[in-house]
């Protein structure tokens, strides 16, 4: 599905920083280009016509990345991290008698279940092991037998492990059974091609500091307009009310509450850099290459991935701890960190893993640099991976 970058695409590596910041091989916040950071060096009033134009431009560009446009879909920016965007959808688009079918194979799916419980929304949980994709037949079975289900909810790339769930196939099932469909595409949007309309998505959430390569400060929701308009009166929170947020943005282009002006300035620059790279296809090609280099190098050093190759995406990879008692993650992590390379602890519940992200403003040579220092640290620790 991913095409190579078009011939006009320029994969330009920009300086990341003038300082001595570490390279972030994490799920976000990520390493960003110097130009993205520089775009924030301005003070822009939240009611300024220039800011209003900036927000409008961002909203249009986001829809384009999802392969859609207004009025079929609308982009709503929500202050706060990704979790706030998810909670906005869960808390304000489900009717009082609604019921979620939440497909879970990792920590972020479990968080959505927790949200529903806090909000006292009925939930049907379909959980599989963290190294397994959900079975479509089981989803269909749940939709056939639990008539109370109104919404299907799934995480696209479960950043817990890096597994990529079948977004379009689940969308087709939701559509067949007349259910709303909400996809948490936090760590995939902008890097894994997805057409919202073709995948029957009613709501998709992602955030500024993931694959678009902006800085933290807000999340955004891409919503099917007809579904959003039908949610009047469902909100269980004032600040996270998705419909009210959209109405505010539509009425006068302004946010209801203080917007993260600097993050939005950085984000517009990040969106332009995404376009320069050849859009989603161009970014996918770079991340995929980063992933391939990392996995080949780690295998050479004796490390093994947690997921089967067929289930592994090119966003983040979980590696098993080597079966050597001299390996301790804290020492491994601190030694890499001292050399300027930040990796991430594992989040899998049934295996000892650490994670290495290949997203953000990172290029082939950064992956080779990381592999080089991992080899040095393993040698220092006398680890046989
Ligand atoms: C798939 C997914 N969902 C939700 C979140 C939560 O986002 P945040 O930490 O920005 O609140 C993350 C964060 O990495 C994520 O990867």
């Amino acid at each position: 599905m991913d095409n190579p970058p078009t011939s006009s695409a320029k994969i330009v590596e920009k300086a990341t920083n003038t300082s001595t910041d570490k390279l972030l091989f994490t799920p976000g916040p990520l390493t960003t280009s110097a130009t993205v950071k520089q775009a924030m060096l301005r003070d822009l009033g939240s009611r300024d016509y220039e800011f209003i134009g900036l927000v409008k431009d961002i909203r249009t560009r986001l829809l384009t990345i999802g392969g859609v446009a207004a009025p079929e879909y609308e982009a709503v920016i929500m202050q706060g991290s990704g979790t706030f965007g998810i909670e906005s959808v869960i808390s304000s688009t489900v009717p009082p008698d609604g019921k979620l079918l939440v497909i879970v194979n990792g920590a972020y799916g479990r968080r959505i279940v927790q949200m529903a419980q806090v909000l006292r929304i009925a939930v049907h949980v379909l959980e599989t092991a963290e190294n397994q994709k959900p079975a479509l037949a089981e989803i269909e079975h749940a939709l056939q037998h639990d008539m109370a289900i109104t919404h299907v909810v799934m995480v696209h790339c479960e950043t817990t492990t890096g597994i990529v769930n079948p977004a379009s196939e689940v969308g087709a099932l939701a559509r067949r059974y007349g259910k709303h469909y909400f996809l948490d595409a936090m760590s995939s949007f902008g890097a894994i091609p997805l057409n919202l309309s073709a995948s029957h998505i009613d709501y998709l959430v992602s955030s500024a500091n993931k694959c678009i390569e902006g800085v933290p400060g807000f999340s955004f929701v891409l919503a099917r307009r007809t579904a959003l308009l039908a949610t009047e009166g469902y909100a269980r929170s004032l600040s996270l009310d998705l419909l009210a947020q959209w109405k505010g943005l539509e009425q006068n282009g302004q946010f209801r509450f203080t917007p993260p002006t600097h993050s939005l300035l950085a984000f517009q620059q990040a969106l332009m850099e995404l376009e320069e790279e050849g859009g989603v296809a161009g970014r996918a090609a770079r991340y995929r290459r980063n992933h391939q280099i990392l996995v080949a190098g780690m295998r050479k050093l004796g490390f093994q991935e947690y997921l089967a190759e067929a289930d592994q995406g090119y966003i983040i990879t979980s590696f098993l701890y080597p079966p050597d008692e001299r390996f301790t993650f804290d020492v491994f992590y601190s030694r890499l960190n001292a050399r300027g390379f930040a990796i991430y602890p594992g989040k899998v519940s049934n295996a000892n893993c650490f994670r290495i992200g290949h997203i953000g403003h990172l290029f082939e040579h950064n992956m080779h640099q990381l592999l080089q220092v991992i080899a040095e640290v393993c040698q220092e620790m006398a680890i046989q991976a």
Side-chain angles (χ1 to χ4, degrees):
M1 189 172 172
D2 315 340
N3 302 313
T6 58
S7 53
S8 62
K10 282 178 272 160
I11 302 184
V12 184
E13 180 177 359
K14 300 182 164 57
T16 50
N17 212 330
T18 46
S19 72
T20 51
D21 283 349
K22 293 169 183 126
L23 288 178
L24 306 179
F25 295 85
T26 66
L30 304 168
T31 293
T32 56
S33 69
T35 34
V36 162
K37 288 183 273 280
Q38 276 153 9
M40 287 187 286
L41 300 178
R42 299 190 54 197
D43 297 316
L44 203 52
S46 60
R47 291 172 199 275
D48 191 304
Y49 70 89
E50 191 187 340
F51 179 69
I52 290 171
L54 171 101
V55 172
K56 194 164 173 231
D57 178 57
I58 289 174
R59 291 175 64 207
T60 308
R61 285 174 187 268
L62 285 173
L63 293 176
T64 308
I65 295 171
V68 292
E72 190 190 0
Y73 281 86
E74 295 288 346
V76 189
I77 299 170
M78 185 61 72
Q79 296 95 325
S81 79
T83 305
F84 292 67
I86 295 175
E87 196 148 16
S88 165
V89 173
I90 301 290
S91 67
S92 64
T93 69
V94 181
D97 57 351
K99 183 171 187 177
L100 309 180
L101 170 64
V102 187
I103 298 158
V104 177
N105 57 353
Y108 294 106
R110 279 195 291 275
R111 186 179 291 175
I112 292 173
V113 173
Q114 204 185 349
M115 270 177 202
Q117 287 163 345
V118 167
L119 291 160
R120 307 216 186 332
I121 293 173
V123 57
H124 181 134
V125 183
L126 203 61
E127 185 154 4
T128 53
E130 287 165 327
N131 58 356
Q132 262 171 41
K133 288 186 183 175
L136 297 175
E138 281 178 29
I139 298 171
E140 183 154 22
H141 185 266
L143 292 173
Q144 282 168 342
H145 291 89
D146 187 344
M147 305 318 284
I149 293 169
T150 52
H151 292 62
V152 177
V153 188
M154 189 174 71
V155 177
H156 190 196
C157 171
E158 226 333 326
T159 327
T160 308
T161 56
I163 201 165
V164 178
N165 288 324
S168 300
E169 291 84 341
V170 172
L173 279 177
R175 159 90 166 198
R176 190 174 317 146
Y177 289 89
K179 311 299 177 191
H180 289 288
Y181 181 33
F182 167 35
L183 190 70
D184 168 355
M186 203 68 68
S187 60
S188 60
F189 186 75
I192 300 183
L194 190 70
N195 179 296
L196 271 79
S197 185
S199 299
H200 308 295
I201 296 167
D202 291 302
Y203 304 97
L204 174 148
V205 173
S206 183
S207 76
N209 56 283
K210 300 285 191 195
C211 299
I212 312 284
E213 300 187 3
V215 305
F218 62 92
S219 56
F220 49 87
V221 183
L222 306 188
R224 189 191 297 277
R225 197 174 203 267
T226 47
L228 180 64
L229 288 176
T231 62
E232 188 77 59
Y234 294 170
R236 295 158 179 85
S237 151
L238 177 76
S239 57
L240 296 177
D241 184 338
L242 188 66
L243 182 60
Q245 185 87 343
W246 174 71
K247 282 184 183 168
L249 289 168
E250 285 295 295
Q251 252 162 29
N252 54 12
Q254 293 174 13
F255 283 77
R256 294 177 300 154
F257 313 115
T258 304
T261 48
H262 297 79
S263 313
L264 285 158
L265 279 161
F267 195 64
Q268 189 188 40
Q269 175 63 29
L271 285 165
M272 291 191 291
E273 292 179 14
L274 172 65
E275 200 178 303
E276 244 180 74
E277 192 172 350
V280 178
R283 188 139 299 176
R286 173 161 61 88
Y287 288 174
R288 185 182 280 117
R289 184 84 192 111
N290 286 351
H291 169 243
Q292 285 164 346
I293 292 169
L294 178 77
V295 169
M298 289 296 276
R299 285 183 187 168
K300 237 187 207 166
L301 292 171
F303 287 94
Q304 198 193 323
E305 305 97 88
Y306 168 71
L307 291 177
E309 205 166 340
D311 297 329
Q312 174 69 57
Y314 50 83
I315 302 296
I316 190 164
T317 306
S318 297
F319 292 96
L320 295 165
Y321 283 7
D324 183 326
E325 60 193 23
R326 282 166 294 200
F327 180 89
T328 58
F329 179 71
D330 287 350
V331 174
F332 184 65
Y333 175 87
S334 339
R335 293 195 181 185
L336 291 175
N337 206 267
R339 287 164 160 87
F341 295 82
I343 63 163
Y344 224 57
K347 217 173 177 163
V348 176
S349 43
N350 65 355
N352 284 324
C353 293
F354 60 88
R355 289 177 290 169
I356 299 183
H358 1 87
I359 54 178
H361 201 65
L362 296 174
F363 293 79
E364 291 188 19
H365 68 94
N366 301 123
M367 307 316 293
H368 288 298
Q369 286 169 331
L370 174 68
L371 287 165
Q372 176 61 36
V373 295
I374 290 179
E376 284 166 23
V377 168
C378 285
Q379 208 169 27
E380 265 177 32
M381 292 173 74
I383 296 165
Q384 302 285 309

